[in-house]
Amino acid sequence: MITLVGIGHVFSIKKAVKYLIKIRRPNAVCIELDKARYEILESGTRDEQEGPFLMKRLRKVYDKAAKIQGASVGEEMMGAVEAANEMNIPHYFIDVEASPVVSSMLKGLSLGQKIKLAGSVLTTSVLPKKQLEEGLKKVEEDPEFAMEQFEKAFPTLKRDLVDYRDKYMATRIRELSQEYSDIIAVVGEGHMSGILKNLQGLPLNEIHLKEVKGIAEKIENGEI
């Protein structure tokens, strides 16, 4: 069985992710990370000045959203690593290396798309707290719609940042399923649909972000 757990990188769901892994006791855990991003998260030494201007602004948006949620960006993925280590089961980073993909993606954008993307990122970065919270809620409630809107606005980004990685991660999971009979894969909610499509024919189970957040709330309230 392959269980996909949908997460959001700015939500306070680390404990819920660890809970799901520990209660289900898989043979292996797959995580939407590459080694370089894991090392940055583990060390906490991210260089805020590194990378293109748009990426630096986008990181600020993520940090702002995470702060509103009482979380830190990527803590849920670190929780998956921690759970696997505590249970002494193998874990695998299944995502592509981010830097080359981002560089290629930016080079492939037309000037008009770059201007449009810059405007979108800058506008989001200055949104009031209430509007940002509303936006996060919409993504949580209807991730498919959010992805459709993203594809309409930025088809090239959807292809390079989402579709390509969906196929890559699904291929890694499929390969690992030949070795492990029970896998949990912790991936962004926006990747769930694409990965599921690319894993058709295998036994699949889905736990979406909304349910993960519900578990997080129960843990917080001492209900589980």
Side-chain angles (χ1 to χ4, degrees):
M1 176 64 70
I2 297 169
T3 300
L4 297 185
V5 178
I7 49 89
H9 304 313
V10 300
F11 294 103
S12 182
I13 53 174
K14 179 179 179 178
K15 291 181 181 178
V17 170
K18 294 185 72 170
Y19 171 83
L20 284 167
I21 292 171
K22 289 187 174 184
I23 199 169
R24 288 171 178 266
R25 306 192 65 82
N27 304 131
V29 176
C30 295
I31 305 156
E32 184 205 317
L33 277 176
D34 62 75
K35 187 176 180 181
R37 279 187 288 157
Y38 166 71
E39 290 175 349
I40 290 171
L41 287 173
E42 183 183 39
S43 64
T45 56
R46 185 181 71 188
D47 185 353
E48 296 295 340
Q49 302 307 314
E50 183 182 356
F53 171 75
L54 282 179
M55 294 302 103
K56 289 187 285 188
R57 295 302 302 180
L58 191 57
R59 284 199 294 264
K60 289 185 180 298
V61 172
Y62 270 80
D63 288 340
K64 182 178 178 181
K67 186 176 181 180
I68 289 173
Q69 297 291 321
S72 58
V73 176
E75 67 173 35
E76 78 293 341
M77 295 188 289
M78 294 304 293
V81 174
E82 290 174 13
N85 287 337
E86 289 167 9
M87 297 176 68
N88 197 31
I89 58 177
H91 64 271
Y92 297 88
F93 303 136
I94 60 170
D95 203 0
V96 299
E97 187 178 350
S99 295
V101 172
V102 171
S103 297
S104 176
M105 174 271 294
L106 289 176
K107 288 179 182 178
L109 290 178
S110 67
L111 178 59
Q113 284 283 291
K114 287 179 180 177
I115 293 172
K116 187 176 180 180
L117 177 61
S120 178
V121 171
L122 290 171
T123 298
T124 305
S125 68
V126 296
L127 282 178
K129 177 180 176 181
K130 185 176 181 180
Q131 283 186 258
L132 194 53
E133 287 177 329
E134 290 172 353
L136 291 172
K137 189 66 176 177
K138 288 179 181 178
V139 171
E140 178 190 340
E141 292 290 339
D142 195 348
E144 288 291 324
F145 178 75
M147 191 57 68
E148 287 171 7
Q149 295 299 107
F150 177 62
E151 184 172 19
K152 286 180 182 178
F154 303 105
T156 303
L157 292 185
K158 170 66 163 50
R159 182 194 69 206
D160 293 344
L161 287 183
V162 181
D163 297 342
Y164 170 69
R165 291 169 60 212
D166 289 348
K167 292 178 182 178
Y168 184 93
M169 289 191 282
T171 297
R172 291 286 291 122
I173 294 169
R174 187 179 288 273
E175 291 170 348
L176 289 165
S177 72
Q178 297 175 16
E179 184 177 355
Y180 300 100
S181 60
D182 193 355
I183 293 172
I184 280 185
V186 179
V187 299
E189 181 67 32
H191 291 288
M192 289 278 281
S193 177
I195 292 176
L196 285 166
K197 289 176 183 176
N198 283 284
L199 288 177
Q200 288 303 308
L202 296 177
L204 299 169
N205 184 33
E206 309 165 42
I207 302 175
H208 289 275
L209 173 60
K210 190 172 183 179
E211 184 177 349
V212 177
K213 285 200 68 184
I215 292 170
E217 290 175 7
K218 288 182 179 179
I219 292 173
E220 189 67 26
N221 295 331
E223 297 175 30
I224 56 176

